[in-house]
């Protein structure tokens, strides 16, 4: 299961699911580079890596900004080598009923959750194609499959992640590059902590396992998809949701 010698890029690794993925891939021997939107976030990443004596570092990247992504990717390549593993994890919500949804709320969510995959993945592909090895793992959501009232923008972006991944998987499979999706359910992070206690209780009732998932439970599946053991899996979406939604 070792990833020694591979560089892994994880967007949005300062906290939550991305942070757990960062530590999970590092534990498997990868040199990990996590991104955050601020110096405060990159410090959280480098401190966590230093505490465990893991190889890697952090860069500032705003996935909505072409120039920021380009500068960050250049720094990653120079400092750690071209990523062989890319985890597109950074994501945001801006919930509203569709009739009340402002264009800004629609646009910002589509930009951060979906268009970011274009910005980050495309420049990273060249080195993977050359190396005849690559792992691209994109984080969607259960609601990208089921839909959810109040989240038309978020659900559209997360459904788009799945369609994108299936298409790219078919384009690059012959070069030994896999493209897969992990679709988490309700996971305990800052993103879900903003929900009221009542909303959280209601949500838990809809989960057969009757609890929220942990970031580590998502990271475990990402780590598997990055590992040599998953070499024949591509274009797949793995749901990790405690039974909340079953296809
Ligand atoms: P989170 O705790 O809110 O963390 C979000 C991460 O994304 C942070 O590292 C943040 O960086 C980064 N980020 C936000 N906007 C960014 C931008 N414009 N450019 C670059 N990075 C940005 O979220 P999470 O719950 O861990 O979610 C991670 C992924 O899982 C997201 O794609 C989310 O949609 C998906 N997901 C989450 C759940 C859940 O229940 N939590 C369920 C399904 C899917 P800063 O710290 O610098 O702000």
């Amino acid at each position: 299961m070792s990833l020694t010698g591979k560089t892994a890029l994880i967007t949005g690794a300062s906290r939550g699911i991305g942070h757990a993925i960062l530590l999970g891939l590092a534990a498997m021997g990868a040199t990990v580079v996590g991104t955050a939107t601020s110096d405060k976030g990159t410090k959280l990443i480098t401190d966590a890596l230093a505490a465990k004596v893991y190889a890697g570092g952090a860069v500032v990247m705003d996935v909505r900004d072409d120039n920021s992504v380009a500068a960050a990717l250049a720094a990653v390549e120079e400092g750690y080598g071209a990523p062989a593993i890319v985890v597109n994890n950074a994501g945001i919500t801006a919930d509203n009923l569709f009739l009340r949804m402002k264009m800004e709320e629609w646009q910002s969510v589509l930009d951060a959750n979906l268009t970011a995959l274009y910005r980050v993945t495309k420049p990273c592909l060249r080195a993977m194609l050359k190396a005849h090895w690559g792992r691209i793992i994109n984080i969607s959501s259960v609601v990208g499959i089921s839909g959810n009232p109040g989240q038309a923008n978020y659900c559209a972006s997360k459904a788009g992640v799945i369609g994108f991944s299936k298409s790219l998987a078919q384009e690059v499979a012959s070069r030994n590059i896999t493209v897969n999706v992990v679709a988490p359910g309700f996971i305990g992070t800052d993103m879900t902590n903003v929900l009221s206690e009542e909303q959280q209780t209601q949500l838990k009732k809809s989960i057969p396992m009757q609890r929220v998932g942990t970031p580590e439970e998502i990271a475990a599946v990402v780590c598997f998809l990055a590992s040599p053991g998953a070499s024949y899996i591509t274009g797949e979406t793995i749901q990790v949701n405690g039974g909340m939604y079953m296809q």
Side-chain angles (χ1 to χ4, degrees):
M1 296 286 275
S2 173
L3 295 175
T4 305
K6 309 271 189 231
T7 296
L9 173 71
I10 304 103
T11 66
S14 48
R15 49 203 169 92
I17 292 169
H19 197 72
I21 295 169
L22 174 97
L23 296 179
L25 291 174
M28 289 171 74
T31 298
V32 291
V33 188
T35 81
T37 58
S38 67
D39 292 336
K40 195 175 145 213
T42 56
K43 187 168 178 329
L44 288 172
I45 294 168
T46 50
D47 285 354
L49 294 178
K52 300 246 183 193
V53 202
Y54 287 148
V59 290
V60 170
M61 178 193 283
D62 181 347
V63 296
R64 294 169 305 180
D65 180 331
D66 292 345
N67 295 331
S68 168
V69 171
L73 291 180
V76 172
E77 193 160 347
E78 198 186 316
Y80 309 94
I85 301 162
V86 172
V87 184
N88 287 301
N89 164 79
I92 58 166
T93 53
D95 298 351
N96 215 340
L97 289 173
F98 184 63
L99 266 183
R100 293 189 193 142
M101 190 174 285
K102 297 184 186 71
M103 180 54 109
E104 211 291 302
E105 290 169 329
W106 173 269
Q107 204 64 59
S108 62
V109 169
L110 266 291
D111 203 15
N113 297 1
L114 184 58
T115 310
L117 270 62
Y118 176 93
R119 291 191 188 97
V120 174
T121 311
K122 202 176 171 201
C124 293
L125 254 183
R126 282 182 214 294
M128 292 184 195
L129 288 166
K130 227 170 162 185
H132 283 251
W133 199 95
R135 295 277 189 273
I136 298 163
I137 301 158
N138 300 320
I139 307 301
S140 176
S141 168
V142 60
V143 299
I145 301 163
S146 65
N148 197 28
Q151 290 197 304
N153 51 356
Y154 184 75
C155 296
S157 72
K158 293 300 189 180
V161 167
I162 295 173
F164 164 78
S165 303
K166 287 180 179 173
S167 302
L168 183 60
Q170 292 176 46
E171 290 186 24
V172 299
S174 66
R175 301 292 191 94
N176 205 24
I177 301 167
T178 66
V179 188
N180 290 292
V181 176
V182 176
F186 181 23
I187 310 302
T189 69
D190 292 347
M191 186 176 271
T192 47
N193 286 340
V194 295
L195 299 173
S196 69
E197 212 158 294
E198 197 192 324
Q199 284 172 311
Q200 299 207 21
T201 308
Q202 269 316 108
L203 261 170
K204 276 183 215 160
K205 281 191 191 149
S206 69
I207 305 170
M209 285 195 175
Q210 298 186 340
R211 66 170 179 87
V212 301
T214 65
E216 288 72 24
E217 287 172 318
I218 304 304
V221 178
V222 173
C223 287
F224 166 64
L225 288 170
S227 77
S231 53
Y232 203 52
I233 300 174
T234 197
E236 189 54 75
T237 298
I238 302 185
Q239 299 204 59
V240 188
N241 63 25
M244 187 179 180
Y245 186 79
M246 302 179 190
Q247 263 184 318

